[in-house]
């Protein structure tokens, strides 16, 4: 029976992977290569209007929606990637230190401040950070990384605790290996599959938060070429010219769903 199920399971995995590549590839291609196909001089027309020269119509200030779609993805994607990378660079050392320490006080000192951050709603924390610091792309990256940090540390620490309790770790300690060696070379390497599974969730959360920050006007100009800003600013003309809202919203959804499908397929195949 298991032999009969394997071809069907393999076919489902391939279909899921193909769907993920298609859903992720289109918005990613538009985000990275789109600005190269935009004319140097952009003209403006009547807001929320359509025409032969504007296949998707115009936005709230009369700009070509298609040109704004080509320009608006790079900021969302690059900020989300940078914020995710920053959260891992800051979170993994904290999680490994908390999991491998033999002092309860150290673990408490590392984890309790993160619990406080976890109690604050993510959007409220975004607004607070942006309100305290000077607005800009760097602030959005730092704020999104800070919002993602508590969940990331808790997931990695929980997985690392199981590895840190193995007899092999005690044997390494008795051999005189340093804490850094044990945390990085043994415990850290054992967490690669957990980190791969978490990466898809973390990138999706970062995309959501970056889009929310742009939607709220945090760190991004209110008339910037940005998919999330387009959704926000073109809402007023949704029934006059819907493409200015529908297209960027679908691209953000396609990006997140495709990303999760690819990472789910990769971790499932590694498990098998």
């Amino acid at each position: 029976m298991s032999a009969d199920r394997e071809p069907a399971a393999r076919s489902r995995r391939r279909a899921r992977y193909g769907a993920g590549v298609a859903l992720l590839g289109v918005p990613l291609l538009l985000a990275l290569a789109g600005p190269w196909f935009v004319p140097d001089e952009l003209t403006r027309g009547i807001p929320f209007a359509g025409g032969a020269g504007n296949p998707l119509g115009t936005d709230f200030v009369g700009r070509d929606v298609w040109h704004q779609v080509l320009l608006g993805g790079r900021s969302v994607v690059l900020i989300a990637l940078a914020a995710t990378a920053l959260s891992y660079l800051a979170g993994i050392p904290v999680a490994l230190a908390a999991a491998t320490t033999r002092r309860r006080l150290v673990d408490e000192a590392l984890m309790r401040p993160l619990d406080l951050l976890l109690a604050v709603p993510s959007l409220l924390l975004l607004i607070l950070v942006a309100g305290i610091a000077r607005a800009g792309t760097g602030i959005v990256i730092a704020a999104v990384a800070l919002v993602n940090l508590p969940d990331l540390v808790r997931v990695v620490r929980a997985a690392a605790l199981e590895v840190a309790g193995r007899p092999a770790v005690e044997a390494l300690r008795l051999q005189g290996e340093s804490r850094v060696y044990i945390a990085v070379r043994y415990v850290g390497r054992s967490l690669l599959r957990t980190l791969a599974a978490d990466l898809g969730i973390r990138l999706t959360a970062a995309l959501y938060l970056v889009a929310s920050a742009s939607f709220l006007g945090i760190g991004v100009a209110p008339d910037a070429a940005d998919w999330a800003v387009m959704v926000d600013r073109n809402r007023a003309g949704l029934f006059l010219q819907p493409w200015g809202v529908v297209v960027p919203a679908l691209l953000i959804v396609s990006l997140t769903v495709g990303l999760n499908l690819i990472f789910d397929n990769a971790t499932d195949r590694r498990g098998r």
Side-chain angles (χ1 to χ4, degrees):
M1 293 294 291
S2 60
D4 295 336
R5 293 175 183 172
E6 185 59 30
R10 190 181 300 114
S11 177
R12 286 195 298 270
R13 289 198 298 272
R14 288 176 180 174
R16 184 171 59 185
Y17 181 74
V21 169
L23 289 172
L24 178 63
V26 172
L28 201 58
L29 184 63
L30 286 174
L32 299 180
W36 298 342
F37 299 96
V38 177
D40 293 333
E41 295 184 5
L42 299 178
T43 59
R44 297 193 180 190
I46 301 173
F48 300 128
N54 308 107
L56 298 181
T58 58
D59 66 0
F60 68 104
V61 290
R63 299 174 299 189
D64 190 327
V65 170
W66 175 240
H67 290 160
Q68 296 303 300
V69 168
L70 293 176
L71 291 169
R74 184 172 291 184
S75 59
V76 174
V77 172
L78 293 182
I79 291 175
L81 287 174
T84 303
L86 181 60
S87 62
Y88 274 98
L89 287 174
I92 290 177
V94 173
L96 290 177
T100 56
T101 185
R102 307 185 78 176
R103 298 178 180 178
R104 181 71 177 177
L105 185 60
V106 174
D107 186 22
E108 293 289 332
L110 292 172
M111 297 304 298
R112 294 297 76 79
L114 295 176
D115 290 343
L116 293 176
L117 288 177
L118 196 62
V120 181
S122 58
L123 291 180
L124 178 58
L125 188 59
L126 257 176
I127 295 172
L128 287 175
V129 172
I132 294 172
R134 190 174 181 178
T137 301
I139 294 303
V140 175
I141 292 173
V144 172
L146 185 63
V147 170
N148 267 334
L149 191 62
D151 277 337
L152 170 64
V153 173
R154 290 174 69 87
V155 168
V156 177
R157 175 183 173 273
L161 279 173
E162 188 273 329
V163 180
R166 294 176 183 174
V169 173
E170 188 63 30
L172 288 172
R173 287 196 181 101
L174 294 176
Q175 290 175 8
E177 299 292 352
S178 66
R179 294 180 181 177
V180 175
Y181 178 89
I182 294 172
V184 176
R185 294 296 298 274
Y186 184 79
V187 179
R189 288 178 64 182
S190 302
L191 299 177
L192 292 180
R193 187 179 171 197
T194 300
L195 292 175
D198 180 75
L199 182 57
I201 300 172
R202 210 58 52 200
L203 273 172
T204 301
L207 284 168
Y208 161 75
L209 289 169
V210 170
S212 300
S214 300
F215 187 85
L216 294 170
I218 301 173
V220 180
D223 61 345
D226 182 277
W227 288 345
V229 172
M230 290 177 66
V231 174
D232 176 37
R233 304 297 288 176
N234 293 320
R235 290 183 300 166
L238 180 61
F239 296 104
L240 296 174
Q241 189 54 262
W243 300 119
V245 175
V246 173
V247 172
L250 287 178
L251 287 171
I252 293 174
V253 171
S254 177
L255 191 65
T256 55
V257 173
L259 188 68
N260 273 305
L261 284 175
I262 288 177
F263 274 98
D264 286 349
N265 187 76
T267 52
D268 181 55
R269 184 165 53 184
R270 283 179 61 90
R272 290 176 183 275

